[in-house]
C-alpha cells in the first residue's frame, strides 16, 4: 500500500490559497450582512406599531332636516354626502381619527 504525501505548497500556491480565503471571507461577510438586513426589514414591518386600533364612539351632529344621501371611502378619507333641504353638501373625515377634514357645499344659483 502506498501513501501519497502532499508536498509543501510553493510560495505562489500559498499566496493564492490565502487570497482565495480572503475573498471567501469577504463574500461570506457580505452575504451575512445582506441576510441580516433582510431580517431586520421583515422584523420592522412585522413589529412596527402603527398605533393600536382604538374603537371610538363619535357622534356627528347634522343640521336639522339633513339626510345622508351616500357614504364612501376615498383613500384614507370617509366621504359623506348630505341633502340639506334641497342643497347638497359633501363632508370628508379622516378614516382613522374621524376628525373633519373639509366641507363642500353645492347650492343653486339664484
Amino acid at each position: 500500500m502506498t501513501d501519497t504525501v502532499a508536498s509543501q505548497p510553493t510560495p505562489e500556491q500559498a499566496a493564492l490559497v490565502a487570497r482565495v480565503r480572503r475573498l471567501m471571507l469577504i463574500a461570506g461577510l457580505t452575504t451575512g450582512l445582506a441576510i441580516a438586513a433582510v431580517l431586520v426589514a421583515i422584523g420592522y414591518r412585522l413589529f412596527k406599531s402603527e398605533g393600536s386600533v382604538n374603537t371610538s364612539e363619535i357622534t356627528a351632529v347634522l343640521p336639522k332636516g339633513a339626510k345622508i344621501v351616500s357614504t364612501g371611502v376615498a383613500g384614507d378619507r370617509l366621504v359623506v354626502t348630505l341633502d340639506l333641504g334641497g342643497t347638497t353638501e359633501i363632508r370628508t373625515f379622516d378614516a382613522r381619527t374621524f376628525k373633519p377634514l373639509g366641507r363642500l357645499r353645492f347650492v343653486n344659483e339664484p
Side-chain angles (χ1 to χ4, degrees), residues 34 67 87 101 108:
K67 295 180 185 178
T87 62
L101 296 176
N108 292 329

Side-chain angles (χ1 to χ4, degrees), residues 3 15 19 24 26 30 36 38-39 43 48 53 55 67 71 80-82 84-85 87 95 97 107:
D3 291 328
R19 184 174 179 196
M24 290 295 290
I26 291 171
T30 304
V38 168
L39 291 177
K48 178 179 80 167
V53 178
T55 56
K67 295 180 185 178
T71 60
V80 180
T81 305
L82 303 172
L84 300 170
T87 62
T97 62
V107 294

Side-chain angles (χ1 to χ4, degrees), residues 3 5 17 34 39 41 43 50 62 70 72-73 75 97:
D3 291 328
V5 178
V17 169
L39 291 177
E50 204 170 287
L62 299 176
S70 68
V73 178
T97 62

Side-chain angles (χ1 to χ4, degrees), residues 1-7:
M1 196 191 267
T2 59
D3 291 328
T4 58
V5 178
S7 63

